[in-house]
Amino acid sequence: MVPPSARFPTRRAALAEEAARRALAGLGPELVLPQLRAQTVQELLAQPGGAGCELCGTLQTLTGALTQCVRRRPGWLYAMFPSGITCPVPARPALVQAAVLEALRPVLACGGQAVLEGIMMKNRDRYAVAVRKPDGEIFVQTEEFHSVTGRYKKLTTIPFVRGVFNFIDSMVLGIKTLTFSASFYEEEEEKNFSEAEQKKKEKQESLLMAGTVAFSIVAAVAIFMVLPYFLSSLMKPVVPSYHLRTVIEGFVRIGIFIIYILLISRMEDIQRTFMYHGAEHKCINCIEHGLPLTVENVRNSSRQHKRCGTSFLFFVLAISIILLLLIRVESPLMRVVVRIVLLPVIAGVSYEVLKLAGNSDNPVVNLLSKPGMAIQKMTTSEPDDGMIEVAIQAVEAVFDWR
């Protein structure tokens, strides 16, 4: 005879599949949720000792089916696994919360950046910008996101290729939303513009944005790739080994990056931007830990996140050391060319490492994430409650957490 506990996974999978089927058919999974919740709690209570806290494979079938439901409407998952669920067996709520996080990870693609007195938050093909206007009002604008790849969106999904295009997308969207947020502090100057003048100004801003992206890429390559090479080359009489000089070059590159952050962090506007950056991270951490998006919960969440762009830039700098050690050319000119040509490869690999770090709690992956997380302490600051309110509105505009 098969013990009742052995039949639990089959029963749970059947209920989860039914919930997914109803969600995809537009019927709503709500009718199945009470049964699925009861089934899950029954399984938790049947687990001996602390075995219920081992999430690994026990909820695999459940989260697989839930993924389809969450894609249709993310918010309903929280109704199924409330954070305050009562279980008489110790540590069971930890497993329930882990199920929420595990089911959300494959489908929740929230990310963003700080802008001038506000937050940009993006979730899949929609993004929102929330800005605290000079009069104190919070203005929120939501738009559809269009990748630079146009109709070739497949490029943003191919491993090791997607990192390059996602990075360019992030730069373009970042500058666009930063310009938009700055416009709220220029309104007085623009009030008397005619329609023709306004169109001309918009065209100029579009050209300026394209020029800014191009200049930013060229400047970043010159400062963080070419300059460290020339500085390390000066050590050739003292350090004849090419491989050792390449390692030194990598550490010089990281040093320049850290000095750059320290210098810009002395500016008052950047200090406030870093506070909004912290608010953005706190909101995403709050969501991913299954907590209601309130000011108090966000305030108590961490301001560091493993998927942060700061960590991505650190991975770029670190991975460049490894790749440049593997590829050696004799000509000094070709060494500069190699450093520039390898940038897309470095960005592609770094993106995959960042994606792995964001979806894994493996001790080795966590160790690799620590340097980037440490640098985030410089690029984020504790926000005030007003900034948290702005961040919450940005998130709610693109993600239904309720």
Side-chain angles (χ1 to χ4, degrees):
M1 179 178 176
V2 179
S5 59
R7 296 196 298 268
F8 283 158
T10 304
R11 172 64 176 158
R12 187 211 321 126
L15 287 169
E17 287 168 5
E18 172 65 10
R21 187 188 65 77
R22 294 184 65 85
L24 293 174
L27 302 175
E30 290 80 5
L31 296 177
V32 187
L33 295 186
Q35 301 174 59
L36 190 49
R37 181 190 301 153
Q39 180 68 35
T40 305
V41 172
Q42 191 178 0
E43 287 186 51
L44 297 178
L45 298 179
Q47 292 287 341
C53 293
E54 296 296 328
L55 178 64
C56 298
T58 57
L59 292 172
Q60 191 92 22
T61 51
L62 172 62
T63 54
L66 287 179
T67 294
Q68 298 302 319
C69 303
V70 178
R71 280 200 175 100
R72 185 170 185 88
R73 178 173 169 75
W76 74 264
L77 186 61
Y78 290 95
M80 186 183 125
F81 286 139
S83 58
I85 192 169
T86 303
C87 292
V89 181
R92 294 299 182 263
L95 177 56
V96 177
Q97 280 305 102
V100 175
L101 177 59
E102 205 65 20
L104 277 175
R105 275 178 173 170
V107 291
L108 178 60
C110 266
Q113 73 166 56
V115 295
L116 185 64
E117 292 300 320
I119 298 282
M120 181 277 291
M121 196 66 69
K122 177 178 173 291
N123 187 25
R124 299 194 173 277
D125 293 329
R126 294 173 62 227
Y127 71 91
V129 186
V131 180
R132 177 79 70 178
K133 295 168 64 176
D135 62 5
E137 178 190 353
I138 300 176
F139 179 87
V140 182
Q141 177 170 294
T142 306
E143 299 279 353
E144 289 292 319
F145 171 72
H146 300 287
S147 172
V148 294
T149 57
R151 59 179 180 171
Y152 302 104
K153 289 185 68 175
K154 183 92 175 158
L155 291 172
T156 61
T157 62
I158 301 172
F160 298 103
V161 174
R162 58 189 174 187
V164 179
F165 294 100
N166 283 325
F167 176 64
I168 296 173
D169 278 341
S170 296
M171 283 194 66
V172 172
L173 182 60
I175 293 173
K176 179 180 178 180
T177 54
L178 189 60
T179 304
F180 172 76
S181 65
S183 68
F184 288 95
Y185 293 84
E186 301 170 356
E187 286 181 353
E188 295 299 322
E189 301 173 10
E190 296 181 2
K191 272 184 180 177
N192 299 323
F193 282 2
S194 66
E195 186 176 343
E197 288 173 328
Q198 187 64 33
K199 285 184 178 179
K200 183 180 179 181
K201 183 174 175 61
E202 288 174 0
K203 186 176 180 180
Q204 289 174 340
E205 286 178 350
S206 178
L207 292 172
L208 179 63
M209 184 176 71
T212 303
V213 171
F215 175 78
S216 299
I217 293 174
V218 172
V221 170
I223 295 171
F224 296 110
M225 296 302 292
V226 180
L227 178 60
Y229 165 69
F230 282 116
L231 291 177
S232 64
S233 296
L234 298 176
M235 302 183 67
K236 189 172 182 179
V238 183
V239 185
S241 170
Y242 169 79
H243 291 95
L244 184 54
R245 287 202 311 275
T246 302
V247 174
I248 294 172
E249 174 191 342
F251 281 102
V252 169
R253 191 175 292 121
I254 295 171
I256 291 174
F257 178 56
I258 293 173
I259 291 170
Y260 169 76
I261 292 173
L262 291 174
L263 288 176
I264 65 171
S265 65
R266 298 175 66 87
M267 301 166 60
E268 185 177 348
D269 286 344
I270 298 297
Q271 289 172 3
R272 288 189 62 78
T273 301
F274 284 174
M275 292 171 74
Y276 275 106
H277 189 194
E280 177 229 329
H281 282 191
K282 282 172 173 281
C283 273
I284 293 175
N285 279 320
C286 185
I287 289 173
E288 292 185 346
H289 284 82
L291 299 173
L293 206 57
T294 64
V295 172
E296 183 179 1
N297 286 338
V298 172
R299 190 193 309 121
N300 293 331
S301 298
S302 171
R303 73 173 200 256
Q304 295 168 289
H305 197 285
K306 288 195 288 187
R307 291 199 312 270
C308 175
T310 304
S311 293
F312 170 76
L313 291 176
F314 174 78
F315 283 135
V316 166
L317 300 177
I319 289 170
S320 67
I321 300 175
I322 300 171
L323 291 183
L324 291 173
L325 281 172
L326 298 175
I327 301 174
R328 178 176 179 176
V329 291
E330 297 303 325
S331 166
L333 177 60
M334 285 305 298
R335 287 176 183 174
V336 174
V337 172
V338 164
R339 278 153 177 76
I340 296 172
V341 171
L342 274 182
L343 267 178
V345 179
I346 295 169
V349 174
S350 301
Y351 181 82
E352 298 306 319
V353 174
L354 184 77
K355 196 173 181 66
L356 173 65
N359 293 321
S360 173
D361 289 320
N362 183 282
V364 176
V365 175
N366 287 339
L367 183 63
L368 293 175
S369 301
K370 282 187 179 298
M373 300 280 278
I375 296 175
Q376 284 181 45
K377 292 181 179 179
M378 295 187 284
T379 62
T380 62
S381 299
E382 287 296 327
D384 59 37
D385 287 357
M387 294 175 175
I388 291 174
E389 290 171 358
V390 174
I392 289 175
Q393 291 207 24
V395 173
E396 291 182 336
V398 294
F399 178 68
D400 182 7
W401 63 271
R402 291 183 173 85

